[in-house]
Amino acid sequence: MSSYTELAERRARLVSRFDKARVDALLVSSPVNIRYLSGFTGSSALLVVAARRSVILTDPRYTLRVVQESDCKAKIVPGSPFARLSPIAKQLGIRRLGYEASRLTMASYRTVRENLPRTVRLKPADGMVEDLRLIKCKSEIAAIRQSVELNSKAFTAAMNRLRPGWTERRLASELDGQMLRLGAEKPAFDTIVASGPRTALPHARPSDTPIREGKLILVDMGAQVGGFMSDMTRMASMGDPGRRWRRLHEAVKEAQLAGIDAVREGVTAAHVDRATRRVLKSHKVETYFVHSTGHGLGLEIHEPPRLARKERTLLRAGMVITIEPGIYLEGRGGIRIEDTVLVTKAGCEILTPTPKEMLVL
Ligand code: ZN
Ligand code: ZN
């Protein structure tokens, strides 16, 4: 959990960007952004951040929790908080209120607009909190580290129990169960388990297909711990997968390591993406790499930056990203290897402790 000092610092950094964004205050409606700035984890709330004060509006269900979790002033309102902004805007003298355009529904926007005096201008101000969230502080890194380590332990425990004939779905539920048993709040996303030719689907849903002898297995899983996510993909095989798949696995591993090698403060996200593609090209399989190299993660499983061909975002120390090249041969199978890494000044630290070798069961 973040300390009140950390929370106050985050809000102060946000306020320091108001001039440039030409707003006096920001209406934060995304629950993760509210949690990041105020500590409050309730599902129905609004946060108004202003230089003078920050106010959380939430409903009576959260009367107790809001004061336990947050140092912001709490205002308990019945019904929709979107309709209750007018007194706060008045108190804080807000004339230009920024809002998270891509996070607000049209209906909520209308409620806000209809209930505010005309003198208050609403200004779209997307990505302001996401920008702050790009660089993780010590306590965030510690939480992500915990999440990553728990996730790897759950993987090992579940794979130790896997038996021939289990369905993909059974393995997925074993992975989820191990995560929860070890103390995760929940899986970070729907756990992906694919076997045989189904590994060629980058986002396969676990099916009732039994995992048979000689088949490849792809597991992509993440845990949520203290609100923070982890993300890992590993390949396994029930018995020897054959020479061809072992070779392709080596190629993807080489690409993944090249990606990791390319990570350091000051390089562009595209630079890292190029590094993985270059290796896959040298193995003549680059055309089978159909997605981007990775993504940031934190309170959400997909956060900026994106590590893709044209992304010019500069990597900075304190960013946490995934490196996950993969190749997918339609109807035959696919290979992906994914780690969560922390960007540092000189390079990066691989947080994922699980060996990258194909796990032959
Ligand atoms: Zn993943
Ligand atoms: Zn990922």
Side-chain angles (χ1 to χ4, degrees):
M1 231 175 64
S2 307
S3 68
Y4 284 176
T5 323
E6 269 170 357
L7 296 171
E9 270 169 18
R10 289 172 189 168
R11 294 194 298 270
R13 268 193 294 147
L14 180 63
V15 168
S16 75
R17 296 173 182 201
F18 281 176
D19 272 352
K20 205 172 159 212
R22 296 170 169 279
V23 297
D24 319 312
L26 184 68
L27 172 63
V28 186
S29 54
S30 135
V32 269
N33 286 345
I34 293 175
R35 178 179 188 157
Y36 180 78
L37 294 167
S38 75
F40 181 55
T41 61
S43 58
S44 147
L46 282 179
L47 172 69
V48 178
V49 178
R52 208 178 330 148
R53 193 189 302 152
S54 294
V55 184
I56 300 177
L57 289 104
T58 186
D59 63 64
R61 288 174 298 167
Y62 295 115
T63 308
L64 204 61
R65 203 205 289 186
V66 70
V67 289
Q68 282 169 343
E69 291 181 335
S70 182
D71 58 332
C72 294
K73 186 175 165 48
K75 211 167 146 36
I76 307 296
V77 292
S80 167
F82 292 102
R84 305 287 181 145
L85 291 164
S86 185
I88 294 170
K90 206 174 199 177
Q91 270 166 26
L92 299 175
I94 299 167
R95 289 170 178 281
R96 300 166 303 175
L97 180 60
Y99 68 98
E100 303 180 285
S102 65
R103 304 261 198 177
L104 202 63
T105 65
M106 191 56 104
S108 302
Y109 174 84
R110 279 207 197 103
T111 309
V112 172
R113 181 65 281 171
E114 281 160 14
N115 288 280
L116 274 178
R118 284 283 138 199
T119 49
V120 181
R121 277 173 57 201
L122 279 169
K123 299 192 68 179
D126 262 326
M128 290 189 78
V129 189
E130 285 78 359
D131 257 10
L132 295 179
R133 282 169 46 197
L134 271 171
I135 310 291
K136 272 72 182 175
C137 71
K138 262 194 189 145
S139 71
E140 290 171 277
I141 293 166
I144 294 172
R145 209 182 277 279
Q146 255 192 320
S147 174
V148 167
E149 282 166 12
L150 183 150
N151 190 51
S152 284
K153 276 190 193 138
F155 173 78
T156 306
M159 296 312 271
N160 278 338
R161 303 183 70 156
L162 171 61
R163 294 290 171 265
W166 275 27
T167 63
E168 294 167 2
R169 218 193 291 271
R170 168 129 191 234
L171 176 56
S173 86
E174 181 67 31
L175 291 160
D176 292 354
Q178 292 292 346
M179 255 187 246
L180 298 176
R181 187 182 64 82
L182 291 163
E185 290 138 15
K186 57 182 179 184
F189 52 90
D190 290 342
T191 300
I192 296 173
V193 174
S195 66
R198 299 191 76 254
T199 53
L201 308 166
H203 270 254
R205 288 183 160 275
S207 73
D208 286 323
T209 312
I211 302 171
R212 294 193 203 285
E213 195 63 30
K215 295 289 186 223
L216 278 179
I217 308 164
L218 183 150
V219 172
D220 187 351
M221 64 189 289
Q224 180 183 315
V225 178
F228 283 86
M229 309 300 178
S230 45
D231 197 359
M232 169 177 89
T233 307
R234 287 294 182 267
M235 299 303 304
S237 149
M238 194 61 86
D240 187 355
R243 211 167 69 105
R244 181 156 143 262
W245 288 114
R246 283 199 309 264
R247 269 213 331 255
L248 287 171
H249 188 273
E250 279 307 302
V252 174
K253 192 172 96 181
E254 193 187 322
Q256 207 253 359
L257 288 169
I260 287 173
D261 251 4
V263 173
R264 105 180 92 83
E265 178 160 86
V267 304
T268 61
H271 169 79
V272 179
D273 186 73
R274 266 199 305 277
T276 61
R277 280 177 210 283
R278 195 176 301 129
V279 172
L280 294 176
K281 200 165 189 174
S282 75
H283 289 277
K284 301 191 170 55
V285 290
E286 200 258 345
T287 48
Y288 303 112
F289 181 21
V290 294
H291 52 75
S292 52
T293 290
H295 54 89
L297 60 74
L299 286 171
E300 289 175 292
I301 187 65
H302 290 115
E303 294 186 4
R306 245 165 60 81
L307 286 89
R309 265 178 222 274
K310 287 178 182 156
E311 291 296 323
R312 298 167 71 174
T313 312
L314 294 179
L315 298 187
R316 284 154 66 197
M319 286 181 174
V320 177
I321 56 175
T322 68
I323 306 290
E324 52 178 305
I327 52 173
Y328 309 91
L329 283 67
E330 208 188 319
R332 287 182 283 171
I335 306 262
R336 174 164 74 247
I337 302 174
E338 172 180 28
D339 283 333
T340 302
V341 310
L342 166 67
V343 182
T344 62
K345 287 221 183 301
C348 74
E349 182 193 342
I350 305 172
L351 301 180
T352 311
T354 308
K356 294 182 214 295
E357 275 58 50
M358 184 166 337
L359 183 63
V360 180
L361 302 158

